[in-house]
């Protein structure tokens, strides 16, 4: 814990850059984390104590300089406001969040190596991030790692965890890969899972499930000789 004088000297997020201005290497680095964000907006729609940042700078005091951020592809913090003071965040400064460190960070590996397995891992370990996910679907053989790796901070060190989906009780969610159809395009993506290992559906999938149920009901009514398009309306007293 840093001193009160140091805390008072730390810059406000209004003064700090919102990212490191490093362009993403491919569209998935923004797209896939945003899929997780949109899904969280459905799962935790009634919760106001979480924040999921995408390509956003995290400022902290465990590095060499509190003005030098680490910028994960995505991160999740619990116990903070979804909208800080009712406004959107430009960046995330731990000292402005009651010292709440992200509980999970996510890095997507691209053709340009970004220190995901060493430099960034060391930063997140020092920061105290409990779960660190590295998603590397294309270059895992080059990097001599698995396509999906989840590390948990245990006794000050990251230990690779086994299982997909992997349930994170401290988060109340599991995470894993799956074959998705998003916007009509099939591709591998990441998703959240419940404690039973069931995947949470996207809004698009929920709408499709509703359409399937409606069509099955219509087929059943037709089998009874009832035209579903001409159901008698309820009388209004």
């Amino acid at each position: 814990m840093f001193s009160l004088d140091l805390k008072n000297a730390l810059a406000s997020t209004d003064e700090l850059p919102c990212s490191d201005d490093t362009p993403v290497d491919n569209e998935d680095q923004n797209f896939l984390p945003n899929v997780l964000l949109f899904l969280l907006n459905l799962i935790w729609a009634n919760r106001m104590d979480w924040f999921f940042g995408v390509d956003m700078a995290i400022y902290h005091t465990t590095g060499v300089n509190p003005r030098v951020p680490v910028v994960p592809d995505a991160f999740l913090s619990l116990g903070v406001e979804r909208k800080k003071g009712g406004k959107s965040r430009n960046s995330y400064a731990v000292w402005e969040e009651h010292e709440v460190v992200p509980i999970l960070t996510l890095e997507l590996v691209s053709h340009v190596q970004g220190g995901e397995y060493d430099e960034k891992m060391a930063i997140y370990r020092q920061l105290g991030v409990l779960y660190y996910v590295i998603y590397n679907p294309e270059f895992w053989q080059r990097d001599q790692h698995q396509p999906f790796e989840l590390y948990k901070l245990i006794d000050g060190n990251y230990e690779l965890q086994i299982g997909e989906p992997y349930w994170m009780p401290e988060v109340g969610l599991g995470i894993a890969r799956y074959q998705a159809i998003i916007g009509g395009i099939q591709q591998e993506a990441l998703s959240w899972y419940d404690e039973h290992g069931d995947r949470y559906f996207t809004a698009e999938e929920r709408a499709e499930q509703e359409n399937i149920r409606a069509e099955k009901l219509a087929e059943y009514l037709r089998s009874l000789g009832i035209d579903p398009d001409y159901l008698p309306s309820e009388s209004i007293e």
Side-chain angles (χ1 to χ4, degrees):
M1 181 66 67
F2 49 86
S3 69
L4 182 61
D5 289 341
L6 175 57
K7 184 174 181 179
N8 291 335
L10 293 171
S12 163
T13 49
D14 293 333
E15 307 170 54
L16 297 168
C18 60
S19 73
D20 57 3
D21 292 326
T22 302
V24 296
D25 293 317
N26 60 69
E27 61 181 307
D28 282 347
Q29 282 187 286
N30 271 332
F31 176 68
L32 294 181
N34 272 300
V35 171
L36 291 174
L37 171 58
F38 297 151
L39 193 52
L40 273 184
N41 284 328
L42 293 174
I43 301 169
W44 289 345
N46 297 321
R47 286 184 58 173
M48 299 297 144
D49 63 343
W50 61 274
F51 176 72
F52 191 85
V54 176
D55 192 32
M56 179 180 286
I58 300 174
Y59 290 92
H60 57 101
T61 59
T62 59
V64 295
N65 188 331
R67 285 183 173 269
V68 178
V70 60
V71 186
D73 288 311
F75 68 90
L76 173 64
S77 286
L78 300 180
V80 299
E81 297 176 284
R82 281 178 69 175
K83 294 283 188 179
K84 187 171 176 58
K87 298 179 181 180
S88 297
R89 291 170 173 84
N90 294 321
S91 58
Y92 188 98
V94 173
W95 59 82
E96 288 188 356
E97 306 286 348
H98 304 290
E99 305 303 318
V100 176
V101 170
I103 195 169
L104 178 147
T105 54
L106 167 67
E107 295 286 356
L108 281 70
V109 180
S110 65
H111 69 279
V112 177
Q113 294 174 313
E116 292 86 1
Y117 296 102
D118 41 54
E119 180 183 352
K120 280 199 167 179
M121 180 178 282
I123 293 173
Y124 298 140
R125 178 185 62 79
Q126 185 72 21
L127 183 56
V129 175
L130 183 60
Y131 290 105
Y132 176 34
V133 178
I134 304 176
Y135 183 49
N136 189 358
E138 295 186 50
F139 306 102
W140 57 278
Q141 291 177 311
R142 175 201 69 184
D143 298 333
Q144 299 182 3
H145 281 270
Q146 294 302 310
F148 175 90
E149 293 184 350
L150 184 147
Y151 295 86
K152 185 174 184 179
L153 192 63
I154 300 174
D155 295 330
N157 291 298
Y158 277 124
E159 295 184 9
L160 181 63
Q161 304 299 297
I162 304 300
E164 235 183 302
Y166 184 83
W167 174 248
M168 301 173 288
E170 300 88 350
V171 180
L173 293 170
I175 189 170
R177 299 167 292 171
Y178 79 109
Q179 287 300 315
I181 298 178
I182 302 173
I185 300 174
Q186 182 169 349
Q187 69 173 97
E188 186 176 273
L190 299 175
S191 185
W192 304 114
Y193 289 73
D194 66 18
E195 65 270 29
H196 305 295
D198 296 324
R199 181 171 61 85
Y200 285 104
F201 288 159
T202 64
E204 188 177 45
E205 288 174 319
R206 291 184 183 190
E208 182 180 353
Q209 290 293 320
E210 288 298 324
N211 289 335
I212 291 173
R213 281 193 287 268
E215 183 55 36
K216 286 183 177 180
L217 177 59
E219 290 177 2
Y220 175 70
L221 291 174
R222 292 189 188 101
S223 71
L224 299 177
I226 301 172
D227 188 339
D229 296 323
Y230 295 95
L231 293 174
S233 58
E234 295 181 359
S235 60
I236 302 177
E237 297 182 359

